[in-house]
Amino acid sequence: MGAKNGLFEAASAILSKLLVAGVITIGALLAACSAPSGNNASPPPVAEAPPPPATAPASTAATSPPSPTGSPPVANGSAPPGSAHPGGSVPPPPPPPPPVTHEDPNLAFAAVDQVLNSLPTGQIAFNTPATLNLQQTAHVQLLLDMKKTVEQLTSEIASPGTKQGASIKIAEQMEARLSGPQFEITAISPERQPIGTAETVEWAWDVVPTQSGQHPLHLTLSAIINVDGTPSERVMRTFDREINVEVTTMQRVTGFVTNNWQWLWAVVVAPVGAWGWKRWRRAPVTPGP
């Protein structure tokens, strides 16, 4: 009996110790879990966003003041009636107007003046007949050179007539024209010719008067200048000469007969021919031997 009681007491003591140790271990574990740590700290609270502002009801929306034309007011932010773009999109604004340029009109004149002032000077010489018979052909010459004098050019003109010279502005291309309404004029050389410094440039015309009397003959020289890339013709000098066209006696007779041959045939030729025929018929026939 005594041995059994001793074993029972010993086992009870051991279980009591184990129970106490387990309680202590569980309490330590619970304390460790409940203590705060740096890694397990809870995140800071997130600030909530403020609520959106309340929209005013449609009945209290601000409207634009009435227009002077009497159109109904339009609420702010809305398009006027009838201006809605197809599809509901807003139409693009119109393009801006082109910039207004205020160019000085004198610039165009200054460009022409600059070209004319830069032209070099050359010498010319030409001849004109003083008197011509009707239908007589005269030869007119014009010489131009940048180095020779007027006297030298005058001496080189071979055609008869009054010779004259002058100094004029010349360009790389020059044009010479001879005109007169009472003359038949034929250009022998091109009217527009390039100008150089090595050789003398010559123009020539054949002139035939078609009416008698005092008639003008015009010689015009023009320079072909380039203004802003555009070639233009600029008259540099015009010479006017009066030509006395005479009619010879033979030309007068020939002209009268040509213009009045019907009258002459009826009044002169036919009666004279008839009278001669009658005389020939009345002449006696002389018998032969």
Side-chain angles (χ1 to χ4, degrees), residues 253-278:
V253 172
T254 304
F256 178 79
V257 172
T258 303
N259 296 328
N260 301 278
W261 65 269
Q262 299 92 338
W263 178 81
L264 291 175
W265 175 264
V267 176
V268 178
V269 177
V272 170
W275 176 79
W277 173 259
K278 290 179 180 180

Side-chain angles (χ1 to χ4, degrees), residues 50-78:
T55 10
S59 59
T60 59
T63 58
S64 59
S67 63
T69 58
S71 58
V74 180
N76 291 338
S78 61

Side-chain angles (χ1 to χ4, degrees), residues 168-250:
I168 62 169
K169 292 277 190 178
I170 61 175
E172 296 179 355
Q173 289 192 50
M174 296 291 292
E175 186 173 273
R177 293 179 181 175
L178 190 66
S179 60
Q182 288 80 22
F183 297 90
E184 182 181 335
I185 301 174
T186 303
I188 301 175
S189 59
E191 292 185 335
R192 180 176 296 189
Q193 298 191 44
I195 306 301
T197 58
E199 297 180 353
T200 301
V201 182
E202 179 181 1
W203 288 267
W205 300 268
D206 281 338
V207 180
V208 179
T210 58
Q211 296 181 15
S212 60
Q214 289 285 125
H215 303 302
L217 198 61
H218 311 286
L219 176 61
T220 304
L221 284 92
S222 302
I224 311 303
I225 60 176
N226 197 323
V227 181
D228 295 334
T230 304
S232 304
E233 182 179 336
R234 172 63 183 264
V235 176
M236 306 305 295
R237 193 77 179 268
T238 299
F239 300 91
D240 300 323
R241 295 292 179 268
E242 290 288 336
I243 310 298
N244 183 27
V245 180
E246 298 178 347
V247 180
T248 63
T249 304
M250 181 59 66

Side-chain angles (χ1 to χ4, degrees), residues 20-165:
V20 172
V23 171
I24 293 172
T25 302
I26 291 172
L29 290 173
L30 292 174
C33 291
S34 61
S37 64
N39 294 334
N40 298 326
S42 59
V46 180
E48 295 182 359
T55 10
S59 59
T60 59
T63 58
S64 59
S67 63
T69 58
S71 58
V74 180
N76 291 338
S78 61
S83 63
H85 193 266
S89 61
V90 180
V100 180
T101 57
H102 301 281
E103 296 183 357
D104 188 0
N106 293 326
L107 294 178
F109 299 101
V112 177
D113 294 337
Q114 183 179 2
V115 173
L116 294 177
N117 293 333
S118 64
L119 295 179
T121 302
Q123 288 67 240
I124 63 169
F126 61 94
N127 72 294
T128 52
T131 303
L132 284 176
N133 292 330
L134 190 64
Q135 301 299 326
Q136 178 186 355
T137 302
H139 191 68
V140 177
Q141 284 180 278
L142 169 64
L143 302 180
L144 184 151
D145 199 286
M146 297 184 64
K147 296 180 179 179
K148 296 180 181 180
T149 63
V150 173
E151 290 75 14
Q152 291 174 328
L153 292 176
T154 304
S155 63
E156 294 179 6
I157 294 179
S159 300
T162 304
K163 302 177 182 180
Q164 182 183 352

